[in-house]
Amino acid sequence: MTMTTAGVIFVLTLVAALVAVYKPFGDYMFRAVAGTKQSPVERGVYRLVGVNPAAEQTWGVYARSVLAFSAVSILFLYLFQRVQNHLWLSLGFDPVAPHGAWNTAVSFVTNTNWQSYSGESTMGHLVQMAGLAVQNFVSAAVGIAVAVALVRGFARSRTGQLGNFWVDLTRITLRILLPIAVLGAIALMVGGVVQNLSAGTDVSTLTGGAQTVTGGPVASQEAIKELGTNGGGFYNVNSAHPFENPTTWTNWLEIFLIFLIPFSLPRVFGRMVGQNRQGYAIAAVMGILAFASVALTNVFELAGHGTVPQAVGAAMEGKEVRFDVSNSATFAAATTLTSTGAVNSFHDSFTSLGGMMTMVNMMLGEVAPGGTGSGLYGLLILAVITVFIAGLMVGRTPEYLGKKIGSREIKFASLYFLITPILVLVGTAAAFAVGNNSTALNVGPHGLSEVLYAFTSASNNNGSAFAGITVNTTWWDTALGLCMLLGRFLPLIFVLALAGSLARQAPTPASEGTLPTHRPLFIGMVVGVTVVLVALTFLPALALGPLAEGL
């Protein structure tokens, strides 16, 4: 069997599995977020934090709850790292430097999980488990909660209520993320991923010293990571490490877990608005963009564009031989199409056009299918922009799911879309303007690509990186931390504001002039608008980086 044939089978079985779970798992998540029954554990959580689960919130209160929870989380995680040398299971590590602690705290609370350090040689077990791993769950739950609040905005009318953030956060964590993480961890252990607190790991080759530390609870952390909630990993080489990803089978399972929640969320959307076909339309947009990305990334990597790859017949630099080129390319596409950020190969070593695809995936806004929750609300924003453009073309007031898209709504949608490109492009320009591009391993177009990738990853809350750039400095930790912070919470505020505006509207009956938003025409329009907007925004930067390198 050739590498190409094996890669095609790998992708097709993955697609088949995702199609098979779309309805049952989507229905399960719908029941989790829309149900009214409370478990004893949930009631205990509500009493502990002093929340009335029956009380709903306006978009402003919901947003303040999200921001307050996240602010406290950042402060706690920062302090946790700064005093880790006094904590149990610290492994004798020193406190994390202030700029590194700031960057890591912001990174994990924003569900970016960017790490500018080697996890196994910097963080003790307690910080890893009680600090970083907790945020892997709750930061992902925040994203899903905001997506659910936006869908309620479409589903409800003549009300300012969008649900209760604390109830959503608790239910999503306990009913969705924890159970799937446990099952995923068990499956990974069956596949050979270790689960222990005492697997000796020599990190001298990574740190230049002779220190030996013990491994962490790898299987459970890996399951959390591959649910799309964690770009960071205990080991510096992430899912390329045999303790985290030992076989092709576990590689397939990790990609499946990456896609599981975001690809099933459109089913939740369809159920909540009472039209399953609307969910199928959104899922179709996600699928078209994702399949195109996976196919192009595989084509560029298997073609081995470049002098050396063509001479040796394959682009194997930076890839694990047990995964081959195709499985590595598929993993790279999956991890950058979502906000996962995990890697099983070094994107910095990809061919110029293959590396470009990993950046383009993030520049799309990570909507195919995107992060846990953030992918759905990002694509719904693009759907709003699409119906607005379509309405202008025919001279009719735009409508989506019976809600008019007026000046207020399109302003929120436009501001959402513009924030990330501003952060990416201004951040990249600032790095070169003040001379901090010198930390890139390469010069010329590839050096630009390394810097551009870093700001694209941070601003889109992805967490992966071109491995050639050194970012563990005060300037980089501060700048990327700001991009992660603003790239997460400013769009989130506009999403909730849009949800509040939609929820207050009275439903508009469909008429002969209403654009059907469940048919192939609309699906194609959303795909086209997404690609065109990204091309207009980022093509000049890509032309100076990966495209110039490819030429």
Side-chain angles (χ1 to χ4, degrees), residues 38-63:
Q38 303 169 14
S39 70
V41 175
E42 291 168 355
R43 288 195 294 269
V45 172
Y46 301 147
R47 284 196 295 268
L48 182 65
V49 298
V51 170
N52 177 9
E56 295 207 354
Q57 299 172 323
T58 63
W59 82 263
V61 177
Y62 203 103

mmCIF file with all atom_site columns, all heavy atoms in Angstrom, residues 38-63:
data_model
loop_
_atom_site.group_PDB
_atom_site.id
_atom_site.type_symbol
_atom_site.label_atom_id
_atom_site.label_alt_id
_atom_site.label_comp_id
_atom_site.label_asym_id
_atom_site.label_entity_id
_atom_site.label_seq_id
_atom_site.pdbx_PDB_ins_code
_atom_site.Cartn_x
_atom_site.Cartn_y
_atom_site.Cartn_z
_atom_site.occupancy
_atom_site.B_iso_or_equiv
_atom_site.pdbx_formal_charge
_atom_site.auth_seq_id
_atom_site.auth_comp_id
_atom_site.auth_asym_id
_atom_site.auth_atom_id
_atom_site.pdbx_PDB_model_num
ATOM 1   N N   . GLN A 1 38 ? -31.308 18.881 37.405 1.00 0.00 ? 38 GLN A N   1
ATOM 2   C CA  . GLN A 1 38 ? -30.009 19.148 38.012 1.00 0.00 ? 38 GLN A CA  1
ATOM 3   C C   . GLN A 1 38 ? -29.557 17.922 38.804 1.00 0.00 ? 38 GLN A C   1
ATOM 4   O O   . GLN A 1 38 ? -30.330 17.351 39.566 1.00 0.00 ? 38 GLN A O   1
ATOM 5   C CB  . GLN A 1 38 ? -30.089 20.354 38.947 1.00 0.00 ? 38 GLN A CB  1
ATOM 6   C CG  . GLN A 1 38 ? -30.581 21.628 38.290 1.00 0.00 ? 38 GLN A CG  1
ATOM 7   C CD  . GLN A 1 38 ? -30.899 22.691 39.305 1.00 0.00 ? 38 GLN A CD  1
ATOM 8   O OE1 . GLN A 1 38 ? -30.523 22.590 40.471 1.00 0.00 ? 38 GLN A OE1 1
ATOM 9   N NE2 . GLN A 1 38 ? -31.606 23.722 38.876 1.00 0.00 ? 38 GLN A NE2 1
ATOM 10  N N   . SER A 1 39 ? -28.306 17.560 38.604 1.00 0.00 ? 39 SER A N   1
ATOM 11  C CA  . SER A 1 39 ? -27.748 16.449 39.373 1.00 0.00 ? 39 SER A CA  1
ATOM 12  C C   . SER A 1 39 ? -27.349 16.944 40.755 1.00 0.00 ? 39 SER A C   1
ATOM 13  O O   . SER A 1 39 ? -27.179 18.158 40.970 1.00 0.00 ? 39 SER A O   1
ATOM 14  C CB  . SER A 1 39 ? -26.530 15.874 38.654 1.00 0.00 ? 39 SER A CB  1
ATOM 15  O OG  . SER A 1 39 ? -25.449 16.790 38.713 1.00 0.00 ? 39 SER A OG  1
ATOM 16  N N   . PRO A 1 40 ? -27.188 16.042 41.714 1.00 0.00 ? 40 PRO A N   1
ATOM 17  C CA  . PRO A 1 40 ? -26.751 16.464 43.051 1.00 0.00 ? 40 PRO A CA  1
ATOM 18  C C   . PRO A 1 40 ? -25.414 17.210 43.023 1.00 0.00 ? 40 PRO A C   1
ATOM 19  O O   . PRO A 1 40 ? -25.226 18.162 43.783 1.00 0.00 ? 40 PRO A O   1
ATOM 20  C CB  . PRO A 1 40 ? -26.637 15.137 43.809 1.00 0.00 ? 40 PRO A CB  1
ATOM 21  C CG  . PRO A 1 40 ? -27.590 14.222 43.110 1.00 0.00 ? 40 PRO A CG  1
ATOM 22  C CD  . PRO A 1 40 ? -27.535 14.603 41.672 1.00 0.00 ? 40 PRO A CD  1
ATOM 23  N N   . VAL A 1 41 ? -24.509 16.765 42.175 1.00 0.00 ? 41 VAL A N   1
ATOM 24  C CA  . VAL A 1 41 ? -23.208 17.444 42.080 1.00 0.00 ? 41 VAL A CA  1
ATOM 25  C C   . VAL A 1 41 ? -23.398 18.871 41.593 1.00 0.00 ? 41 VAL A C   1
ATOM 26  O O   . VAL A 1 41 ? -22.787 19.814 42.112 1.00 0.00 ? 41 VAL A O   1
ATOM 27  C CB  . VAL A 1 41 ? -22.258 16.674 41.144 1.00 0.00 ? 41 VAL A CB  1
ATOM 28  C CG1 . VAL A 1 41 ? -20.953 17.440 40.948 1.00 0.00 ? 41 VAL A CG1 1
ATOM 29  C CG2 . VAL A 1 41 ? -21.967 15.284 41.704 1.00 0.00 ? 41 VAL A CG2 1
ATOM 30  N N   . GLU A 1 42 ? -24.236 19.052 40.590 1.00 0.00 ? 42 GLU A N   1
ATOM 31  C CA  . GLU A 1 42 ? -24.483 20.390 40.063 1.00 0.00 ? 42 GLU A CA  1
ATOM 32  C C   . GLU A 1 42 ? -25.122 21.291 41.115 1.00 0.00 ? 42 GLU A C   1
ATOM 33  O O   . GLU A 1 42 ? -24.735 22.463 41.260 1.00 0.00 ? 42 GLU A O   1
ATOM 34  C CB  . GLU A 1 42 ? -25.369 20.303 38.815 1.00 0.00 ? 42 GLU A CB  1
ATOM 35  C CG  . GLU A 1 42 ? -24.674 19.668 37.628 1.00 0.00 ? 42 GLU A CG  1
ATOM 36  C CD  . GLU A 1 42 ? -25.617 19.320 36.493 1.00 0.00 ? 42 GLU A CD  1
ATOM 37  O OE1 . GLU A 1 42 ? -26.854 19.493 36.670 1.00 0.00 ? 42 GLU A OE1 1
ATOM 38  O OE2 . GLU A 1 42 ? -25.137 18.860 35.452 1.00 0.00 ? 42 GLU A OE2 1
ATOM 39  N N   . ARG A 1 43 ? -26.101 20.756 41.833 1.00 0.00 ? 43 ARG A N   1
ATOM 40  C CA  . ARG A 1 43 ? -26.724 21.551 42.892 1.00 0.00 ? 43 ARG A CA  1
ATOM 41  C C   . ARG A 1 43 ? -25.708 21.944 43.951 1.00 0.00 ? 43 ARG A C   1
ATOM 42  O O   . ARG A 1 43 ? -25.752 23.070 44.482 1.00 0.00 ? 43 ARG A O   1
ATOM 43  C CB  . ARG A 1 43 ? -27.884 20.768 43.516 1.00 0.00 ? 43 ARG A CB  1
ATOM 44  C CG  . ARG A 1 43 ? -29.107 20.649 42.622 1.00 0.00 ? 43 ARG A CG  1
ATOM 45  C CD  . ARG A 1 43 ? -30.330 20.191 43.416 1.00 0.00 ? 43 ARG A CD  1
ATOM 46  N NE  . ARG A 1 43 ? -30.160 18.833 43.914 1.00 0.00 ? 43 ARG A NE  1
ATOM 47  C CZ  . ARG A 1 43 ? -30.547 17.750 43.259 1.00 0.00 ? 43 ARG A CZ  1
ATOM 48  N NH1 . ARG A 1 43 ? -31.119 17.858 42.072 1.00 0.00 ? 43 ARG A NH1 1
ATOM 49  N NH2 . ARG A 1 43 ? -30.379 16.536 43.788 1.00 0.00 ? 43 ARG A NH2 1
ATOM 50  N N   . GLY A 1 44 ? -24.771 21.052 44.233 1.00 0.00 ? 44 GLY A N   1
ATOM 51  C CA  . GLY A 1 44 ? -23.719 21.374 45.194 1.00 0.00 ? 44 GLY A CA  1
ATOM 52  C C   . GLY A 1 44 ? -22.822 22.495 44.697 1.00 0.00 ? 44 GLY A C   1
ATOM 53  O O   . GLY A 1 44 ? -22.432 23.372 45.472 1.00 0.00 ? 44 GLY A O   1
ATOM 54  N N   . VAL A 1 45 ? -22.507 22.468 43.413 1.00 0.00 ? 45 VAL A N   1
ATOM 55  C CA  . VAL A 1 45 ? -21.685 23.535 42.831 1.00 0.00 ? 45 VAL A CA  1
ATOM 56  C C   . VAL A 1 45 ? -22.410 24.867 42.910 1.00 0.00 ? 45 VAL A C   1
ATOM 57  O O   . VAL A 1 45 ? -21.817 25.897 43.268 1.00 0.00 ? 45 VAL A O   1
ATOM 58  C CB  . VAL A 1 45 ? -21.325 23.198 41.368 1.00 0.00 ? 45 VAL A CB  1
ATOM 59  C CG1 . VAL A 1 45 ? -20.648 24.396 40.691 1.00 0.00 ? 45 VAL A CG1 1
ATOM 60  C CG2 . VAL A 1 45 ? -20.418 21.981 41.300 1.00 0.00 ? 45 VAL A CG2 1
ATOM 61  N N   . TYR A 1 46 ? -23.706 24.883 42.601 1.00 0.00 ? 46 TYR A N   1
ATOM 62  C CA  . TYR A 1 46 ? -24.463 26.132 42.632 1.00 0.00 ? 46 TYR A CA  1
ATOM 63  C C   . TYR A 1 46 ? -24.520 26.710 44.052 1.00 0.00 ? 46 TYR A C   1
ATOM 64  O O   . TYR A 1 46 ? -24.388 27.925 44.241 1.00 0.00 ? 46 TYR A O   1
ATOM 65  C CB  . TYR A 1 46 ? -25.889 25.906 42.111 1.00 0.00 ? 46 TYR A CB  1
ATOM 66  C CG  . TYR A 1 46 ? -25.949 25.369 40.702 1.00 0.00 ? 46 TYR A CG  1
ATOM 67  C CD1 . TYR A 1 46 ? -26.967 24.494 40.308 1.00 0.00 ? 46 TYR A CD1 1
ATOM 68  C CD2 . TYR A 1 46 ? -24.986 25.726 39.752 1.00 0.00 ? 46 TYR A CD2 1
ATOM 69  C CE1 . TYR A 1 46 ? -27.028 23.997 39.014 1.00 0.00 ? 46 TYR A CE1 1
ATOM 70  C CE2 . TYR A 1 46 ? -25.044 25.222 38.466 1.00 0.00 ? 46 TYR A CE2 1
ATOM 71  C CZ  . TYR A 1 46 ? -26.057 24.355 38.100 1.00 0.00 ? 46 TYR A CZ  1
ATOM 72  O OH  . TYR A 1 46 ? -26.119 23.850 36.835 1.00 0.00 ? 46 TYR A OH  1
ATOM 73  N N   . ARG A 1 47 ? -24.711 25.840 45.032 1.00 0.00 ? 47 ARG A N   1
ATOM 74  C CA  . ARG A 1 47 ? -24.735 26.324 46.420 1.00 0.00 ? 47 ARG A CA  1
ATOM 75  C C   . ARG A 1 47 ? -23.367 26.846 46.833 1.00 0.00 ? 47 ARG A C   1
ATOM 76  O O   . ARG A 1 47 ? -23.254 27.850 47.547 1.00 0.00 ? 47 ARG A O   1
ATOM 77  C CB  . ARG A 1 47 ? -25.177 25.197 47.359 1.00 0.00 ? 47 ARG A CB  1
ATOM 78  C CG  . ARG A 1 47 ? -26.672 24.898 47.323 1.00 0.00 ? 47 ARG A CG  1
ATOM 79  C CD  . ARG A 1 47 ? -27.103 24.058 48.524 1.00 0.00 ? 47 ARG A CD  1
ATOM 80  N NE  . ARG A 1 47 ? -26.484 22.727 48.479 1.00 0.00 ? 47 ARG A NE  1
ATOM 81  C CZ  . ARG A 1 47 ? -27.052 21.672 47.924 1.00 0.00 ? 47 ARG A CZ  1
ATOM 82  N NH1 . ARG A 1 47 ? -28.243 21.786 47.357 1.00 0.00 ? 47 ARG A NH1 1
ATOM 83  N NH2 . ARG A 1 47 ? -26.442 20.498 47.945 1.00 0.00 ? 47 ARG A NH2 1
ATOM 84  N N   . LEU A 1 48 ? -22.313 26.180 46.371 1.00 0.00 ? 48 LEU A N   1
ATOM 85  C CA  . LEU A 1 48 ? -20.950 26.577 46.738 1.00 0.00 ? 48 LEU A CA  1
ATOM 86  C C   . LEU A 1 48 ? -20.604 27.967 46.225 1.00 0.00 ? 48 LEU A C   1
ATOM 87  O O   . LEU A 1 48 ? -19.993 28.772 46.934 1.00 0.00 ? 48 LEU A O   1
ATOM 88  C CB  . LEU A 1 48 ? -19.957 25.552 46.211 1.00 0.00 ? 48 LEU A CB  1
ATOM 89  C CG  . LEU A 1 48 ? -18.478 25.789 46.542 1.00 0.00 ? 48 LEU A CG  1
ATOM 90  C CD1 . LEU A 1 48 ? -18.250 25.689 48.050 1.00 0.00 ? 48 LEU A CD1 1
ATOM 91  C CD2 . LEU A 1 48 ? -17.596 24.792 45.800 1.00 0.00 ? 48 LEU A CD2 1
ATOM 92  N N   . VAL A 1 49 ? -21.020 28.266 45.007 1.00 0.00 ? 49 VAL A N   1
ATOM 93  C CA  . VAL A 1 49 ? -20.679 29.573 44.415 1.00 0.00 ? 49 VAL A CA  1
ATOM 94  C C   . VAL A 1 49 ? -21.796 30.592 44.589 1.00 0.00 ? 49 VAL A C   1
ATOM 95  O O   . VAL A 1 49 ? -21.658 31.738 44.151 1.00 0.00 ? 49 VAL A O   1
ATOM 96  C CB  . VAL A 1 49 ? -20.344 29.419 42.912 1.00 0.00 ? 49 VAL A CB  1
ATOM 97  C CG1 . VAL A 1 49 ? -19.134 28.531 42.727 1.00 0.00 ? 49 VAL A CG1 1
ATOM 98  C CG2 . VAL A 1 49 ? -21.528 28.870 42.129 1.00 0.00 ? 49 VAL A CG2 1
ATOM 99  N N   . GLY A 1 50 ? -22.901 30.191 45.224 1.00 0.00 ? 50 GLY A N   1
ATOM 100 C CA  . GLY A 1 50 ? -23.978 31.130 45.499 1.00 0.00 ? 50 GLY A CA  1
ATOM 101 C C   . GLY A 1 50 ? -24.774 31.545 44.283 1.00 0.00 ? 50 GLY A C   1
ATOM 102 O O   . GLY A 1 50 ? -25.117 32.727 44.126 1.00 0.00 ? 50 GLY A O   1
ATOM 103 N N   . VAL A 1 51 ? -25.082 30.593 43.422 1.00 0.00 ? 51 VAL A N   1
ATOM 104 C CA  . VAL A 1 51 ? -25.794 30.883 42.170 1.00 0.00 ? 51 VAL A CA  1
ATOM 105 C C   . VAL A 1 51 ? -27.199 30.314 42.236 1.00 0.00 ? 51 VAL A C   1
ATOM 106 O O   . VAL A 1 51 ? -27.400 29.176 42.679 1.00 0.00 ? 51 VAL A O   1
ATOM 107 C CB  . VAL A 1 51 ? -25.036 30.274 40.970 1.00 0.00 ? 51 VAL A CB  1
ATOM 108 C CG1 . VAL A 1 51 ? -25.882 30.356 39.700 1.00 0.00 ? 51 VAL A CG1 1
ATOM 109 C CG2 . VAL A 1 51 ? -23.718 31.000 40.767 1.00 0.00 ? 51 VAL A CG2 1
ATOM 110 N N   . ASN A 1 52 ? -28.162 31.103 41.785 1.00 0.00 ? 52 ASN A N   1
ATOM 111 C CA  . ASN A 1 52 ? -29.533 30.629 41.631 1.00 0.00 ? 52 ASN A CA  1
ATOM 112 C C   . ASN A 1 52 ? -29.669 30.083 40.215 1.00 0.00 ? 52 ASN A C   1
ATOM 113 O O   . ASN A 1 52 ? -29.705 30.848 39.244 1.00 0.00 ? 52 ASN A O   1
ATOM 114 C CB  . ASN A 1 52 ? -30.523 31.757 41.856 1.00 0.00 ? 52 ASN A CB  1
ATOM 115 C CG  . ASN A 1 52 ? -31.966 31.306 41.634 1.00 0.00 ? 52 ASN A CG  1
ATOM 116 O OD1 . ASN A 1 52 ? -32.244 30.117 41.476 1.00 0.00 ? 52 ASN A OD1 1
ATOM 117 N ND2 . ASN A 1 52 ? -32.879 32.264 41.609 1.00 0.00 ? 52 ASN A ND2 1
ATOM 118 N N   . PRO A 1 53 ? -29.742 28.763 40.038 1.00 0.00 ? 53 PRO A N   1
ATOM 119 C CA  . PRO A 1 53 ? -29.766 28.197 38.680 1.00 0.00 ? 53 PRO A CA  1
ATOM 120 C C   . PRO A 1 53 ? -31.011 28.560 37.891 1.00 0.00 ? 53 PRO A C   1
ATOM 121 O O   . PRO A 1 53 ? -31.024 28.426 36.661 1.00 0.00 ? 53 PRO A O   1
ATOM 122 C CB  . PRO A 1 53 ? -29.688 26.684 38.935 1.00 0.00 ? 53 PRO A CB  1
ATOM 123 C CG  . PRO A 1 53 ? -30.209 26.494 40.323 1.00 0.00 ? 53 PRO A CG  1
ATOM 124 C CD  . PRO A 1 53 ? -29.807 27.721 41.079 1.00 0.00 ? 53 PRO A CD  1
ATOM 125 N N   . ALA A 1 54 ? -32.034 29.014 38.561 1.00 0.00 ? 54 ALA A N   1
ATOM 126 C CA  . ALA A 1 54 ? -33.271 29.375 37.855 1.00 0.00 ? 54 ALA A CA  1
ATOM 127 C C   . ALA A 1 54 ? -33.232 30.800 37.318 1.00 0.00 ? 54 ALA A C   1
ATOM 128 O O   . ALA A 1 54 ? -34.089 31.182 36.511 1.00 0.00 ? 54 ALA A O   1
ATOM 129 C CB  . ALA A 1 54 ? -34.470 29.200 38.774 1.00 0.00 ? 54 ALA A CB  1
ATOM 130 N N   . ALA A 1 55 ? -32.265 31.599 37.757 1.00 0.00 ? 55 ALA A N   1
ATOM 131 C CA  . ALA A 1 55 ? -32.188 32.992 37.336 1.00 0.00 ? 55 ALA A CA  1
ATOM 132 C C   . ALA A 1 55 ? -31.382 33.111 36.048 1.00 0.00 ? 55 ALA A C   1
ATOM 133 O O   . ALA A 1 55 ? -30.248 32.632 35.972 1.00 0.00 ? 55 ALA A O   1
ATOM 134 C CB  . ALA A 1 55 ? -31.548 33.840 38.433 1.00 0.00 ? 55 ALA A CB  1
ATOM 135 N N   . GLU A 1 56 ? -31.975 33.740 35.031 1.00 0.00 ? 56 GLU A N   1
ATOM 136 C CA  . GLU A 1 56 ? -31.263 33.931 33.773 1.00 0.00 ? 56 GLU A CA  1
ATOM 137 C C   . GLU A 1 56 ? -30.636 35.314 33.716 1.00 0.00 ? 56 GLU A C   1
ATOM 138 O O   . GLU A 1 56 ? -30.935 36.189 34.536 1.00 0.00 ? 56 GLU A O   1
ATOM 139 C CB  . GLU A 1 56 ? -32.200 33.701 32.592 1.00 0.00 ? 56 GLU A CB  1
ATOM 140 C CG  . GLU A 1 56 ? -32.698 32.264 32.495 1.00 0.00 ? 56 GLU A CG  1
ATOM 141 C CD  . GLU A 1 56 ? -33.043 31.871 31.072 1.00 0.00 ? 56 GLU A CD  1
ATOM 142 O OE1 . GLU A 1 56 ? -33.014 32.745 30.175 1.00 0.00 ? 56 GLU A OE1 1
ATOM 143 O OE2 . GLU A 1 56 ? -33.318 30.682 30.834 1.00 0.00 ? 56 GLU A OE2 1
ATOM 144 N N   . GLN A 1 57 ? -29.761 35.530 32.723 1.00 0.00 ? 57 GLN A N   1
ATOM 145 C CA  . GLN A 1 57 ? -28.972 36.754 32.642 1.00 0.00 ? 57 GLN A CA  1
ATOM 146 C C   . GLN A 1 57 ? -29.153 37.431 31.294 1.00 0.00 ? 57 GLN A C   1
ATOM 147 O O   . GLN A 1 57 ? -29.347 36.781 30.271 1.00 0.00 ? 57 GLN A O   1
ATOM 148 C CB  . GLN A 1 57 ? -27.485 36.421 32.838 1.00 0.00 ? 57 GLN A CB  1
ATOM 149 C CG  . GLN A 1 57 ? -27.153 35.785 34.177 1.00 0.00 ? 57 GLN A CG  1
ATOM 150 C CD  . GLN A 1 57 ? -25.712 35.290 34.245 1.00 0.00 ? 57 GLN A CD  1
ATOM 151 O OE1 . GLN A 1 57 ? -25.174 34.796 33.262 1.00 0.00 ? 57 GLN A OE1 1
ATOM 152 N NE2 . GLN A 1 57 ? -25.098 35.428 35.406 1.00 0.00 ? 57 GLN A NE2 1
ATOM 153 N N   . THR A 1 58 ? -29.070 38.755 31.303 1.00 0.00 ? 58 THR A N   1
ATOM 154 C CA  . THR A 1 58 ? -29.007 39.502 30.052 1.00 0.00 ? 58 THR A CA  1
ATOM 155 C C   . THR A 1 58 ? -27.604 39.330 29.471 1.00 0.00 ? 58 THR A C   1
ATOM 156 O O   . THR A 1 58 ? -26.689 38.816 30.135 1.00 0.00 ? 58 THR A O   1
ATOM 157 C CB  . THR A 1 58 ? -29.285 40.989 30.288 1.00 0.00 ? 58 THR A CB  1
ATOM 158 O OG1 . THR A 1 58 ? -28.243 41.530 31.143 1.00 0.00 ? 58 THR A OG1 1
ATOM 159 C CG2 . THR A 1 58 ? -30.633 41.194 30.953 1.00 0.00 ? 58 THR A CG2 1
ATOM 160 N N   . TRP A 1 59 ? -27.415 39.800 28.232 1.00 0.00 ? 59 TRP A N   1
ATOM 161 C CA  . TRP A 1 59 ? -26.112 39.607 27.607 1.00 0.00 ? 59 TRP A CA  1
ATOM 162 C C   . TRP A 1 59 ? -25.025 40.348 28.380 1.00 0.00 ? 59 TRP A C   1
ATOM 163 O O   . TRP A 1 59 ? -23.893 39.846 28.485 1.00 0.00 ? 59 TRP A O   1
ATOM 164 C CB  . TRP A 1 59 ? -26.140 40.052 26.145 1.00 0.00 ? 59 TRP A CB  1
ATOM 165 C CG  . TRP A 1 59 ? -25.978 41.540 25.913 1.00 0.00 ? 59 TRP A CG  1
ATOM 166 C CD1 . TRP A 1 59 ? -26.966 42.451 25.717 1.00 0.00 ? 59 TRP A CD1 1
ATOM 167 C CD2 . TRP A 1 59 ? -24.743 42.258 25.836 1.00 0.00 ? 59 TRP A CD2 1
ATOM 168 N NE1 . TRP A 1 59 ? -26.430 43.707 25.540 1.00 0.00 ? 59 TRP A NE1 1
ATOM 169 C CE2 . TRP A 1 59 ? -25.062 43.615 25.590 1.00 0.00 ? 59 TRP A CE2 1
ATOM 170 C CE3 . TRP A 1 59 ? -23.403 41.913 25.941 1.00 0.00 ? 59 TRP A CE3 1
ATOM 171 C CZ2 . TRP A 1 59 ? -24.093 44.602 25.455 1.00 0.00 ? 59 TRP A CZ2 1
ATOM 172 C CZ3 . TRP A 1 59 ? -22.428 42.899 25.813 1.00 0.00 ? 59 TRP A CZ3 1
ATOM 173 C CH2 . TRP A 1 59 ? -22.780 44.220 25.573 1.00 0.00 ? 59 TRP A CH2 1
ATOM 174 N N   . GLY A 1 60 ? -25.345 41.492 28.950 1.00 0.00 ? 60 GLY A N   1
ATOM 175 C CA  . GLY A 1 60 ? -24.348 42.245 29.696 1.00 0.00 ? 60 GLY A CA  1
ATOM 176 C C   . GLY A 1 60 ? -23.904 41.518 30.961 1.00 0.00 ? 60 GLY A C   1
ATOM 177 O O   . GLY A 1 60 ? -22.715 41.442 31.277 1.00 0.00 ? 60 GLY A O   1
ATOM 178 N N   . VAL A 1 61 ? -24.867 40.972 31.687 1.00 0.00 ? 61 VAL A N   1
ATOM 179 C CA  . VAL A 1 61 ? -24.544 40.221 32.896 1.00 0.00 ? 61 VAL A CA  1
ATOM 180 C C   . VAL A 1 61 ? -23.798 38.947 32.536 1.00 0.00 ? 61 VAL A C   1
ATOM 181 O O   . VAL A 1 61 ? -22.837 38.542 33.212 1.00 0.00 ? 61 VAL A O   1
ATOM 182 C CB  . VAL A 1 61 ? -25.822 39.898 33.691 1.00 0.00 ? 61 VAL A CB  1
ATOM 183 C CG1 . VAL A 1 61 ? -25.502 39.057 34.917 1.00 0.00 ? 61 VAL A CG1 1
ATOM 184 C CG2 . VAL A 1 61 ? -26.530 41.184 34.093 1.00 0.00 ? 61 VAL A CG2 1
ATOM 185 N N   . TYR A 1 62 ? -24.227 38.274 31.462 1.00 0.00 ? 62 TYR A N   1
ATOM 186 C CA  . TYR A 1 62 ? -23.555 37.059 31.004 1.00 0.00 ? 62 TYR A CA  1
ATOM 187 C C   . TYR A 1 62 ? -22.094 37.369 30.665 1.00 0.00 ? 62 TYR A C   1
ATOM 188 O O   . TYR A 1 62 ? -21.171 36.637 31.062 1.00 0.00 ? 62 TYR A O   1
ATOM 189 C CB  . TYR A 1 62 ? -24.278 36.514 29.776 1.00 0.00 ? 62 TYR A CB  1
ATOM 190 C CG  . TYR A 1 62 ? -24.066 35.035 29.510 1.00 0.00 ? 62 TYR A CG  1
ATOM 191 C CD1 . TYR A 1 62 ? -25.043 34.105 29.818 1.00 0.00 ? 62 TYR A CD1 1
ATOM 192 C CD2 . TYR A 1 62 ? -22.892 34.568 28.917 1.00 0.00 ? 62 TYR A CD2 1
ATOM 193 C CE1 . TYR A 1 62 ? -24.875 32.752 29.559 1.00 0.00 ? 62 TYR A CE1 1
ATOM 194 C CE2 . TYR A 1 62 ? -22.704 33.230 28.654 1.00 0.00 ? 62 TYR A CE2 1
ATOM 195 C CZ  . TYR A 1 62 ? -23.700 32.318 28.980 1.00 0.00 ? 62 TYR A CZ  1
ATOM 196 O OH  . TYR A 1 62 ? -23.511 30.974 28.725 1.00 0.00 ? 62 TYR A OH  1
ATOM 197 N N   . ALA A 1 63 ? -21.865 38.473 29.946 1.00 0.00 ? 63 ALA A N   1
ATOM 198 C CA  . ALA A 1 63 ? -20.507 38.853 29.563 1.00 0.00 ? 63 ALA A CA  1
ATOM 199 C C   . ALA A 1 63 ? -19.663 39.193 30.786 1.00 0.00 ? 63 ALA A C   1
ATOM 200 O O   . ALA A 1 63 ? -18.489 38.800 30.876 1.00 0.00 ? 63 ALA A O   1
ATOM 201 C CB  . ALA A 1 63 ? -20.545 40.042 28.599 1.00 0.00 ? 63 ALA A CB  1
#
